[in-house]
Amino acid sequence: MSPTARVLLFGSTLLALSACTGAKMSMEDDDLTEATREGQELQVVDLEQTEEKVAHTRGEGERASGAEKPDDRRTGGRADSSPAKTPAEPTEAVTGGALANLGYVGGKDGADAGGADYEDADVDDMMLIPVMPESEPITAVVETTSKLKALELDGRSRNTRKSEKKASSSSGSSSVALMEPPAPPADPNVTFAMDMTTADELEMGIVTDTPVNGVQADNREGYTHYGINDMELAEKDRFSTFSIDVDTASYAISRRKLNEGWMPNTAGVRVEEFVNALHYDYDAPKAGTNGGAPFNVHMEAAPSPFQHNHHILRVGVQGAEIDQSTRAPMHLTFLVDTSGSMNSPDKLGLAKTALHELVDNLGPEDTIALTTYAGSSTVVLPATGANKKAAIHAGIESLTSGGGTHMDSGMNLAYETASNSYLYGSENRVVVLSDGDANIGRTSHDEILRTIQHYAEEGITLSTIGFGMGNYQDTMMEQLANKGDGNYFYIDTAKEAQKVFGEDLAATTQVIAKDVKIQVEFNPDAVTAYRLIGYENRDIADVDFRNDRVDAGEIGSGHAVTALYDVVLRDDAKSQELATVRIRAKKPGPDSAAREWATLMDGELVQSEFTDASKDFRLAFATASFAELLRGSPYLAEVSYRDVLAIAQAASRGHDEDKELIGLIGTAGQLSGERGPVAGR
């Protein structure tokens, strides 16, 4: 077989994890990690003769592959010849529910009774490093068939390919064994100068935009391009593991851009944050059911309307809602950026509006502290009971902007203030309101992030709320929240402020589970290939699913999380089990142990037609497809905004957020120069 690296796209099937009606319990003792396979070559799964081939070429040639590499089964880019590990025996079964409780598997340090031994694991070696998309010519070969003919993929793990790509990029070599999806096409009307981006930022894939032609007014915004997930051959790698993500900032930033007549920066479009910005009608778990799980898992699947022989699989996770009359008190410390860069109505002005909204929604036992940072840091208001609303409102209204941006000293002051009011068993959180533009002090990512992670481990979490445009640093704000075990939002309007600190306050501030990891195990007998749509920067090595030292996201009261997969099913898939969804999480607070639950999806849950799927399912798919188009995904190269708009309109539930989405899709179609009617308003 030729070593030339190719991606074969073909008529496909879209899988969505949704309604779990008919889901079976499973506590099988399957291997979570396969043994290393040395020296594997590209393999072809030949299911039927090809009836039609259509080749689309981007660039001027195919990229040659490098030397064969051992399949490391996602061991952080290192070959592992250790024998396969199996999960611990289940401790209890749940009958009549959607989940099988596997009980406690592993303690604080992640040592499993029956799983992998992580004592010798080098966590630093296993960290995922985001990289810039390569600029060399790339060839994508698309095969369209009435039945799936072949899928040619690299058998190595995603972690191996990422580490090799980074090494190749740093050495100046362009030889890789599997092509990465091409970078989104550049807007011919805008050119970007990279002279303001440091070498360190370039290595991290941070994109700082400086428009030369003046089409956009944002001249120093920072985003990170995390790439686009590949199709994976289930026979080679049946596990897909990632951290939960309830952030919605990417959607709000893109909404503002579109409403102001700009196409959003492709590097700033994160599919999962678009999908999770909408609400879905998932049933919440009831007390005493599901083996004590703080969430329900819902699954649904249907054929893809865009790719023949593909399906969409949706996995929906709905968190339990905390009774607000009996919830634990919240001790919130706000750190407000009052530097000169925040001196505009859409920055400090809107931040003050958001804080006023929050104060009016707090309970009598909650407290608020208010700190600021600019050239220096100040405690405007020490921890104050929410019953003293007049004093808190006055403190908020007194905020003014000016000076530099000494984020580091502000962060230290905020944590010191939060520590003074810390109460075990309560929600102790620092909330940063900023444009993320730090230009004075110890402002490197690593130094600030280490401080945040330390306090998160001690029980003081951190969330970030972004404001403004022009110098907005999306990468900084997202990573602060990730390390702080918190969430990341962007507020572009007073309506969004009301949503974050009003309607969704409980979900924003009250955690029901932390370090939540999801692992989907696909059955190779039913699933030929799969691709997780989004969650690129939330990828976790499969062997780290039960390594409790590896950080993951949190889920708040009533929060819902949705993940979509593009999958290729075998002909008899409907008569088999398609996948097992495992969720591992800890209770809030320091030193809590992890527990694990599992849910099975049967092939009989796959809908025969896309239009037979629920409106929630179809709208989630339309939202994901919208984001894929905005970020220039090669997997939707033949799809238009008009196509996505039609699906969104047909799936609309009549909600305001549905109407907003439809309007944004129409606007994007018009701004993209797409021909034909794209009227979403």
Side-chain angles (χ1 to χ4, degrees):
M1 181 178 298
S2 168
T4 301
R6 297 184 295 174
V7 166
L8 302 185
L9 308 180
F10 33 80
S12 66
T13 302
L14 295 175
L15 283 176
L17 306 178
S18 181
C20 61
T21 305
K24 294 181 179 179
M25 302 314 113
S26 173
M27 294 180 288
E28 298 176 355
D29 194 19
D30 292 339
D31 290 347
L32 284 183
T33 306
E34 295 183 7
T36 301
R37 301 178 183 180
E38 298 289 341
Q40 288 186 332
E41 297 181 353
L42 302 180
Q43 296 186 9
V44 174
V45 179
D46 191 349
L47 301 183
E48 202 167 305
Q49 291 297 320
T50 303
E51 296 180 2
E52 179 184 3
K53 293 185 179 181
V54 181
H56 296 276
T57 302
R58 176 190 177 93
E60 299 181 357
E62 295 183 344
R63 183 178 305 171
S65 71
E68 295 176 0
K69 303 290 183 181
D71 181 7
D72 68 347
R73 313 312 307 166
R74 294 196 197 174
T75 55
R78 298 172 300 172
D80 181 7
S81 59
S82 60
K85 307 292 183 178
T86 57
E89 292 295 324
T91 57
E92 60 178 302
V94 181
T95 57
L99 297 172
N101 177 19
L102 302 185
Y104 167 64
V105 188
K108 177 182 176 184
D109 293 327
D112 279 7
D117 181 4
Y118 299 102
E119 291 302 319
D120 297 327
D122 187 345
V123 177
D124 289 337
D125 286 350
M126 291 186 274
M127 291 179 66
L128 299 175
I129 305 298
V131 296
M132 295 279 284
E134 302 202 44
S135 58
E136 292 84 349
I138 296 172
T139 295
V141 179
V142 181
E143 295 197 1
T144 305
T145 61
S146 59
K147 295 287 185 179
L148 175 60
K149 150 72 175 172
L151 173 61
E152 186 174 329
L153 291 174
D154 190 340
R156 296 166 302 149
S157 72
R158 281 193 291 271
N159 284 355
T160 300
R161 294 200 298 268
K162 285 183 179 181
S163 62
E164 288 175 357
K165 180 183 176 188
K166 181 177 185 294
S168 171
S169 176
S170 62
S171 65
S173 170
S174 61
S175 176
V176 292
L178 180 68
M179 64 160 269
E180 292 287 338
D187 186 338
N189 298 315
V190 183
T191 56
F192 297 104
M194 303 300 293
D195 57 324
M196 299 188 69
T197 306
T198 66
D200 288 342
E201 287 174 333
L202 282 172
E203 177 147 351
M204 289 296 293
I206 299 173
V207 181
T208 303
D209 296 346
T210 306
V212 175
N213 296 352
V215 175
Q216 294 182 334
D218 53 335
N219 62 355
R220 203 167 59 82
E221 297 189 348
Y223 301 93
T224 296
H225 197 300
Y226 294 101
I228 296 174
N229 285 332
D230 299 323
M231 290 294 293
E232 298 290 334
L233 200 61
E235 187 178 59
K236 299 292 184 181
D237 185 356
R238 67 180 186 270
F239 296 103
S240 172
T241 309
F242 60 97
S243 165
I244 209 165
D245 184 8
V246 296
D247 298 346
T248 61
S250 178
Y251 177 78
I253 292 171
S254 298
R255 175 180 62 201
R256 175 170 181 172
K257 295 273 190 181
L258 290 167
N259 284 335
E260 294 183 357
W262 305 344
M263 290 295 281
N265 188 306
T266 55
V269 176
R270 294 180 288 276
V271 175
E272 66 277 10
E273 296 186 25
F274 274 60
V275 174
N276 289 325
L278 274 63
H279 294 86
Y280 305 103
D281 190 20
Y282 298 138
D283 290 334
K286 297 180 180 179
T289 63
N290 296 337
F295 28 67
N296 264 347
V297 176
H298 301 258
M299 302 186 206
E300 188 174 2
S304 167
F306 296 150
Q307 291 178 287
H308 181 59
N309 282 344
H310 282 229
H311 285 72
I312 299 301
L313 172 67
R314 182 180 69 165
V315 178
V317 179
Q318 176 64 55
E321 293 190 31
I322 297 175
D323 185 347
Q324 295 303 296
S325 64
T326 59
R327 68 166 174 82
M330 294 188 293
H331 300 292
L332 307 177
T333 300
F334 287 90
L335 176 59
V336 184
D337 180 354
T338 56
S339 63
S341 69
M342 290 286 288
N343 186 24
S344 64
D346 66 330
K347 293 186 177 182
L348 184 57
L350 198 52
K352 291 163 71 172
T353 298
L355 288 172
H356 286 309
E357 175 71 29
L358 170 76
V359 173
D360 291 335
N361 285 283
L362 292 178
E365 295 185 3
D366 301 327
T367 67
I368 281 186
L370 188 60
T371 61
T372 65
Y373 69 94
S376 60
S377 304
T378 306
V379 176
V380 176
L381 191 72
T384 302
N387 57 337
K388 299 180 180 178
K389 285 183 169 49
I392 299 174
H393 282 304
I396 294 170
E397 203 56 40
S398 71
L399 300 179
T400 58
S401 60
T405 314
H406 203 163
M407 176 180 278
D408 179 58
S409 68
M411 200 74 73
N412 289 333
L413 180 62
Y415 277 121
E416 180 182 338
T417 304
S419 297
N420 291 337
S421 60
Y422 178 87
L423 184 62
Y424 184 84
S426 297
E427 181 63 43
N428 302 276
R429 185 179 297 253
V430 170
V431 182
V432 178
L433 293 83
S434 174
D435 57 17
D437 190 14
N439 54 31
I440 296 179
R442 192 171 47 125
T443 57
S444 77
H445 274 59
D446 289 343
E447 291 170 311
I448 292 180
L449 295 181
R450 277 195 292 268
T451 298
I452 292 172
Q453 186 171 17
H454 166 75
Y455 279 102
E457 292 169 354
E458 296 297 318
I460 301 178
T461 57
L462 180 139
S463 292
T464 55
I465 314 292
F467 297 88
M469 287 290 169
N471 64 329
Y472 190 71
Q473 301 303 308
D474 173 72
T475 297
M476 170 71 83
M477 296 295 280
E478 185 197 20
Q479 292 189 358
L480 293 179
N482 288 350
K483 285 297 182 182
D485 283 346
N487 30 38
Y488 168 38
F489 301 99
Y490 178 87
I491 293 180
D492 56 336
T493 63
K495 182 178 179 181
E496 185 69 10
Q498 183 180 19
K499 177 184 177 183
V500 173
F501 285 139
E503 301 168 15
D504 296 341
L505 178 62
T508 303
T509 58
Q510 297 166 37
V511 179
I512 62 170
K514 69 174 188 177
D515 287 342
V516 184
K517 302 173 187 175
I518 298 178
Q519 184 174 83
V520 179
E521 179 183 359
F522 291 97
N523 177 10
D525 293 332
V527 178
T528 298
Y530 65 89
R531 179 175 76 95
L532 176 59
I533 306 175
Y535 291 91
E536 282 82 6
N537 67 329
R538 300 289 183 160
D539 189 39
I540 293 177
D542 294 332
V543 295
D544 283 335
F545 177 64
R546 291 180 173 176
N547 182 352
D548 295 332
R549 293 177 294 180
V550 174
D551 190 46
E554 66 172 17
I555 185 169
S557 172
H559 250 150
V561 178
T562 298
L564 297 173
Y565 284 90
D566 176 2
V567 301
V568 180
L569 300 181
R570 297 187 183 275
D571 290 340
D572 59 347
K574 286 191 175 183
S575 63
Q576 302 192 54
E577 296 169 352
L578 296 185
T580 301
V581 178
R582 296 183 178 91
I583 300 181
R584 188 173 179 85
K586 302 175 185 176
K587 289 184 177 180
D591 303 321
S592 56
R595 295 187 66 193
E596 185 176 314
W597 299 266
T599 306
L600 261 182
M601 182 179 187
D602 276 344
E604 62 188 21
L605 294 180
V606 179
Q607 302 289 349
S608 298
E609 301 291 339
F610 179 75
T611 52
D612 293 337
S614 66
K615 285 192 172 184
D616 276 2
F617 174 95
R618 288 180 282 145
L619 193 66
F621 173 66
T623 306
S625 299
F626 176 39
E628 285 272 83
L629 287 178
L630 288 175
R631 69 175 182 166
S633 171
Y635 292 98
L636 267 69
E638 302 300 321
V639 177
S640 68
Y641 287 102
R642 191 163 52 253
D643 297 330
V644 174
L645 178 63
I647 293 175
Q649 289 173 326
S652 176
R653 305 158 298 183
H655 302 167
D656 288 345
E657 62 182 10
D658 300 3
K659 297 174 184 177
E660 177 185 81
L661 173 69
I662 290 170
L664 293 174
I665 296 172
T667 298
Q670 293 167 357
L671 292 174
S672 71
E674 190 173 292
R675 295 181 178 180
V678 194
R681 296 184 184 276

